[in-house]
Amino acid sequence: MDSVEPFWLVDAFAEAPFEGNCAGVCVLRKGRDASWMQHVANELNQAETAFLRPRRDKQWNLRWFTPTVEVDLCGHATLAAAHVLSVAGHVPWGEEIVFHTLSGKHKAWSEKKGATLDFPAEPPRSYRLPNAETLVHAKPTWIGKNRLDVLIQLESEDAVRRMDPDLPEIAKLDARGLIVTAKSSDPTIDFVSRYFAPACGVDEDQVTGSAHCALAPFWGERLGRTELHGYQASRRGGLVKMRLEGPRVFLRGGVVVVATGKLQT
């Protein structure tokens, strides 16, 4: 059937199935409009679904959709997409992959147990948010914002793990979502974080690669490090390895394919 499109469900920033953040990935055989992609993303009901379409220059167009909206940057679905391109035989393992997206051109390299992303650094700047303490039911030690998200630092890892977010108020922020972070109590991890994007249909994301475009420069400056390990302390949880190189952040994580199928539409 000409209308059949293959799809994958992939756990990204994961070392084993059912960890990290699950993404849908569709490698399109023909052009599809945004309405169709949004319906599919809603049907697959993952935090994001990535839609790939090959270009004549051997590069790839890439779009990301939550169940309710299109977004202009998504790390875990890009990690999953890079891995799928090699699993499906479109790109050799280890070869550079160039994606064209709403947020510009990004690169990735797939490996048999993971992938690496080359994303822009998005450092937050100090930001005034009078209701910050109400949003997280905890006392912030620093508040910032970049073009995507608000970032709130708390005093401890325990405070991040215990915090009870006010999702209706977070949805009103002039931002894609809210990052909450603190220094890790584990000596093998630099910091922990959680991420909330109720306005995008994702109350709490499991592992948010693009949030680490802010977290890497934020913690890199405070810790004096260019290589960092961050743990997103969600229900599933996931480890993100980062390397800062000037205006770019390299994000690495494990990838596990958990299901494949065909869209009969």
Side-chain angles (χ1 to χ4, degrees), residues 227-243:
E227 295 197 8
L228 299 152
H229 288 181
Y231 183 77
Q232 192 153 330
S234 63
R235 177 178 55 82
R236 288 167 57 119
L239 179 68
V240 182
K241 299 177 181 179
M242 293 149 278
R243 185 176 79 254

Side-chain angles (χ1 to χ4, degrees), residues 157 160-161 192-194 204 206 231-235 237-238:
E157 175 176 339
V160 170
R161 289 181 179 272
V192 297
S193 66
R194 292 172 69 187
E204 180 168 5
Q206 299 300 315
Y231 183 77
Q232 192 153 330
S234 63
R235 177 178 55 82

Side-chain angles (χ1 to χ4, degrees), residues 169-219:
E169 289 301 310
I170 291 171
K172 297 176 185 177
L173 288 172
D174 180 25
R176 181 186 64 167
L178 172 66
I179 305 165
V180 182
T181 187
K183 188 175 180 180
S184 175
S185 58
D186 180 342
T188 67
I189 304 293
D190 294 298
F191 63 85
V192 297
S193 66
R194 292 172 69 187
Y195 184 80
F196 308 92
C200 296
V202 182
D203 285 350
E204 180 168 5
D205 201 21
Q206 299 300 315
V207 188
T208 315
S210 59
H212 289 76
C213 294
L215 288 162
F218 176 79
W219 285 109

Side-chain angles (χ1 to χ4, degrees), residues 128-139:
R128 185 175 179 273
L129 187 63
N131 67 334
E133 190 167 340
T134 302
L135 292 181
V136 297
H137 297 128
K139 188 172 181 59

Side-chain angles (χ1 to χ4, degrees), residues 103-114:
S103 55
K105 194 182 293 187
H106 307 303
K107 297 178 182 179
W109 297 264
S110 57
E111 308 157 14
K112 292 192 176 180
K113 292 187 178 181

